[in-house]
């Protein structure tokens, strides 16, 4: 009986040891699988990270190459765009370059500005582009990616879509034709010095309907009209009725706009510099520098130009110079 008991105990112990051995073997097997899986997964993950990094580097290099290429080609592309969008001008288009045929601009002295306007940050410069009338001109101006204030001519037979073009813009002006002392290519519906108050008011009401977002108007030609105090009184009355501000293009030294606006209790705002009185690019570049200097000297400045190819090219080439000022839309002044 004693021997049987000992044999049973040995058998039980042997089974327990076997189970323990199998258990340890199973644990070892599981640990081995886990560790091998971990290292394999780690290696795979490492490979994936390396592959992603390589792919990211390749993308960065490709992007840098594209950027370098675009920087090299940008001036050429701008030239090409300007030529393409401006080559198809209407045959009827004649720029009223400040009544050049009357020679009035040459006799207009620079705007006297005694006090420096206090502005926060950089001096402010607003550049108005007059005579905007076609989609090609709008595309050319917008291709420069500069905050330039477009001043649209009212619709006419030569430029029937100006109001529709303006409607697509967030901000714009209207370039209103007014009677000149010497001008042979007068626009349709030009305001004349002998127009009655009702006639002028009706015309401005119509302009407001055509251009509902307009709050600023400057004169197209207009040397004779702006020299006439009665006519200017009638005009500013009509502007006030439509919540419109007048920007004097200053096509004559005898403009009555300062006096009339003062009588209405309004500030006189006027052009400081014409950029393209002469249309060669070298001259325009020098005028841009002049406008920047006026802005620095007085805190603010207003320049006026036209959508000529040389003018737009000069503006593009002056982007670095224009960083010295805060180039803004006219409403920011």
């Amino acid at each position: 009986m004693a021997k049987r008991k000992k044999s049973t105990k040995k058998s039980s112990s042997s089974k327990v040891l076997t189970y323990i051995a199998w258990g340890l073997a199973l644990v070892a097997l599981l640990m081995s699988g886990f560790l091998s899986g971990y290292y394999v997964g780690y290696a795979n993950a490492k490979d994936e990270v390396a592959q992603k990094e390589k792919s990211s580097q390749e993308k960065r290099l490709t992007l840098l190459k594209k950027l370098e290429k675009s920087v090299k080609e940008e001036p050429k592309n701008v030239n090409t765009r300007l030529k393409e969008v401006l080559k198809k001008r209407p045959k009827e288009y004649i720029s009223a370059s400040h009544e050049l045929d009357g020679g009035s601009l040459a006799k207009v002295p620079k705007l006297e500005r005694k006090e420096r306007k206090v502005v926060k940050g950089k001096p402010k410069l607003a550049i108005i582009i007059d005579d905007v009338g076609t989609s090609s001109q709008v595309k050319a101006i917008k291709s420069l990616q500069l905050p330039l204030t477009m001043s649209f001519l009212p619709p006419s037979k030569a430029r029937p879509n100006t109001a529709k073009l303006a409607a697509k813009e967030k901000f714009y002006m209207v370039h209103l034709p007014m009677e000149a002392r010497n001008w042979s290519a007068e626009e349709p519906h030009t305001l004349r010095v002998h127009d009655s108050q009702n006639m002028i008011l009706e015309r401005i009401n119509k302009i407001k309907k055509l251009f509902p977002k307009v709050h600023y108007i400057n004169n197209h030609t207009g040397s004779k009209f702006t020299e006439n105090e009665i006519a200017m009184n009638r005009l500013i009355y009509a502007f006030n009725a439509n919540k419109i501000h007048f920007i004097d293009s200053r096509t004559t030294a005898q403009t009555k706009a300062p006096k009339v606006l003062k009588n209405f209790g309004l500030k006189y705002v006027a052009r400081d510099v014409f950029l393209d009185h002469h249309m060669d690019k070298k001259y325009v570049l020098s005028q841009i520098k002049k406008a920047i200097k006026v802005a620095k000297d007085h805190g603010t400045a207003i320049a006026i130009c036209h959508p000529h190819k040389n003018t737009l090219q000069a503006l593009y080439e002056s982007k670095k110079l224009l960083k010295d000022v805060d180039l803004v839309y006219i409403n920011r002044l």
Side-chain angles (χ1 to χ4, degrees), residues 239-287:
F239 279 176
N240 278 355
N242 286 278
K243 297 180 180 179
I244 292 171
H245 303 284
F246 178 61
I247 309 294
D248 192 357
S249 299
R250 291 181 64 245
T251 54
T252 172
Q254 282 75 46
T255 176
K256 294 298 187 293
K259 181 181 178 180
V260 172
L261 287 164
K262 186 179 179 181
N263 290 340
F264 274 87
L266 301 170
K267 289 183 179 179
Y268 177 61
V269 182
R271 178 271 310 171
D272 291 287
V273 181
F274 271 128
L275 299 185
D276 50 7
H277 174 51
H278 302 293
M279 288 187 287
D280 59 286
K281 190 171 72 173
K282 188 177 179 181
Y283 174 81
V284 179
L285 287 167
S286 70
Q287 290 298 95

Side-chain angles (χ1 to χ4, degrees), residues 106-294:
K107 300 173 185 177
V108 180
K110 72 175 185 178
L111 181 64
E112 291 296 327
R113 300 182 62 177
K114 296 176 183 179
E115 296 181 4
R116 188 184 193 280
K117 187 174 181 180
V118 178
V119 294
K120 291 181 180 179
K122 292 180 182 179
K124 288 181 169 56
L125 172 63
I127 298 178
I128 299 169
I129 302 188
D130 284 347
D131 293 353
V132 180
T134 65
S135 60
S136 61
Q137 290 168 348
V138 172
K139 288 176 184 177
I141 293 164
K142 293 178 79 169
S143 74
L144 300 179
Q145 297 183 333
L146 291 169
L148 303 167
T149 302
M150 289 185 280
S151 194
F152 289 86
L153 285 162
S156 65
K157 186 178 179 181
R159 290 167 293 278
N161 300 315
T162 56
K164 292 178 182 178
L165 291 171
K168 297 176 184 178
E169 305 303 318
K170 290 182 179 179
F171 180 78
Y172 59 81
M173 286 176 56
V174 169
H175 195 40
L176 188 63
M178 301 181 197
E179 189 175 359
R181 280 191 281 105
N182 295 287
W183 184 241
S184 57
E186 192 173 79
E187 286 286 315
H189 310 295
T190 292
L191 291 180
R192 310 185 74 79
V193 294
H194 298 301
D195 287 344
S196 68
Q197 181 65 77
N198 285 340
M199 192 178 292
I200 291 175
L201 188 58
E202 186 180 330
R203 178 64 178 148
I204 303 307
N205 288 344
K206 187 175 181 181
I207 290 292
K208 187 68 176 179
K209 286 181 181 178
L210 286 166
F211 300 91
K213 292 187 284 186
V214 70
H215 291 291
Y216 297 84
I217 285 179
N218 68 327
N219 52 296
H220 172 81
T221 64
S223 56
K224 186 174 181 178
F225 192 97
T226 56
E227 285 179 354
N228 189 295
E229 189 174 342
I230 294 173
M232 284 302 297
N233 269 292
R234 290 169 178 165
L235 180 68
I236 300 305
Y237 175 84
F239 279 176
N240 278 355
N242 286 278
K243 297 180 180 179
I244 292 171
H245 303 284
F246 178 61
I247 309 294
D248 192 357
S249 299
R250 291 181 64 245
T251 54
T252 172
Q254 282 75 46
T255 176
K256 294 298 187 293
K259 181 181 178 180
V260 172
L261 287 164
K262 186 179 179 181
N263 290 340
F264 274 87
L266 301 170
K267 289 183 179 179
Y268 177 61
V269 182
R271 178 271 310 171
D272 291 287
V273 181
F274 271 128
L275 299 185
D276 50 7
H277 174 51
H278 302 293
M279 288 187 287
D280 59 286
K281 190 171 72 173
K282 188 177 179 181
Y283 174 81
V284 179
L285 287 167
S286 70
Q287 290 298 95
I288 291 170
K289 291 177 183 177
K290 185 177 178 181
I292 291 170
K293 186 179 185 305
V294 173

Side-chain angles (χ1 to χ4, degrees), residues 3-4 11 16 21 27 31 48 72 82 102 106 127 148 160 169 176 180 192 242 245 253 296 316:
K3 284 183 180 180
R4 282 183 185 177
S11 177
V16 169
V27 169
M31 288 295 291
E48 285 179 14
K72 288 177 182 176
L82 293 180
I127 298 178
L148 303 167
E169 305 303 318
L176 188 63
R192 310 185 74 79
N242 286 278
H245 303 284
K296 288 180 177 179
Y316 173 76

